[in-house]
Amino acid sequence: DQQVKQNSPSLSVQEGRISILNCDYTNSMFDYFLWYKKYPAEGPTFLISISSIKDKNEDGRFTVFLNKSAKHLSLHIVPSQPGDSAVYFCAASDNNDMRFGAGTRLTVKP
Amino acid sequence: NAGVTQTPKFRILKIGQSMTLQCTQDMNHNYMYWYRQDPGMGLKLIYYSVGAGITDKGEVPNGYNVSRSTTEDFPLRLELAAPSQTSVYFCASSSGQAGGRSPLHFGNGTRLTVT
């Protein structure tokens, strides 16, 4: 069963605009959420995280929003840059293990 | 400053063969993980370990075995390779300071094909 879902396989945005990547989860026991970024032929790298006691966490151009009632989180990248082109994975944890979504491929066009 | 190192990078196996995927980390992390990534399916947890001598099953453990005799090493063993095990395998580690919530550090993966 897919407990973490990223329903958009791909997203294309223009350089300088906002990128919004979405993620939904089904397990209400998840209390910590993370985003990872993956370039081809490399492993995922940690980008940003948020605890369930918060609804927003910001780190430079990256902001993650959490809506617990809707079991939904999103990653905003502003402004988007060509170097942000990668696959982004959403992940959720309940302290036992970490479950991942299928990923969204972001392409930022110059 | 190597982080998490996986070997080999690529491997082709025949059905029924066995092999061990190697993973080592130099960050003194307690927690280590094995994931597989199938196209369009995200990463699925195979096995994990919270310290030397301790291992636990993840979502998809069938067909695999692990051991954790040292903090640094966490090899993944495939005993009887099947085509369904064709995938990209990622090893990861974390400090475990926040338990299973700690961000993972990944290796660059092993691409395995079983024919």
Side-chain angles (χ1 to χ4, degrees):
Chain A
D1 70 10
Q2 196 79 358
Q3 297 188 36
V4 180
K5 299 178 184 178
Q6 293 177 258
N7 292 321
S8 298
S10 63
L11 174 69
S12 181
V13 300
Q14 208 66 36
E15 181 180 5
R17 306 295 289 269
I18 184 171
S19 295
I20 300 176
L21 294 93
N22 293 304
C23 178
D24 298 292
Y25 61 96
T26 58
N27 187 342
S28 58
M29 297 303 291
F30 290 142
D31 61 3
Y32 200 74
F33 305 89
L34 308 91
W35 286 93
Y36 291 82
K37 176 179 179 178
K38 183 184 180 303
Y39 292 119
E42 295 182 7
T45 55
F46 169 67
L47 191 57
I48 191 170
S49 61
I50 187 167
S51 164
S52 60
I53 63 173
K54 294 186 175 183
D55 54 18
K56 177 182 174 182
N57 188 27
E58 194 170 352
D59 183 2
R61 297 185 297 112
F62 302 91
T63 303
V64 56
F65 295 92
L66 175 63
N67 182 334
K68 279 195 303 181
S69 61
K71 294 192 179 68
H72 177 83
L73 63 155
S74 60
L75 175 68
H76 292 210
I77 307 173
V78 184
S80 301
Q81 300 173 354
D84 296 329
S85 296
V87 176
Y88 289 78
F89 290 99
C90 170
S93 176
D94 60 359
N95 196 39
N96 289 321
D97 60 55
M98 199 169 289
R99 300 292 178 106
F100 286 78
T104 296
R105 181 178 302 277
L106 173 66
T107 302
V108 181
K109 298 180 179 178
Chain B
N1 189 8
V4 178
T5 302
Q6 291 182 238
T7 56
K9 286 185 169 50
F10 304 94
R11 183 73 187 265
I12 298 174
L13 280 182
K14 293 191 186 305
I15 294 171
Q17 286 185 322
S18 61
M19 77 163 293
T20 299
L21 283 68
Q22 302 290 347
C23 175
T24 186
Q25 52 95 6
D26 62 0
M27 296 172 283
N28 201 32
H29 283 170
N30 286 321
Y31 286 38
M32 294 189 75
Y33 305 80
W34 275 105
Y35 285 88
R36 59 178 284 174
Q37 184 189 11
D38 300 322
M41 296 298 290
L43 294 102
K44 299 284 189 184
L45 181 64
I46 306 171
Y47 270 96
Y48 67 101
S49 167
V50 299
I54 305 169
T55 62
D56 279 295
K57 295 178 180 179
E59 296 175 78
V60 290
N62 291 343
Y64 307 94
N65 279 300
V66 293
S67 60
R68 185 93 183 272
S69 56
T70 67
T71 298
E72 295 78 20
D73 301 305
F74 191 40
L76 178 72
R77 178 85 177 160
L78 283 72
E79 289 294 350
L80 289 170
S84 61
Q85 293 178 305
T86 294
S87 189
V88 180
Y89 291 84
F90 288 101
C91 178
S93 72
S94 76
S95 65
Q97 288 179 351
R101 302 178 184 92
S102 305
L104 305 184
H105 298 253
F106 284 87
N108 285 335
T110 295
R111 184 176 295 274
L112 175 67
T113 302
V114 182
T115 61

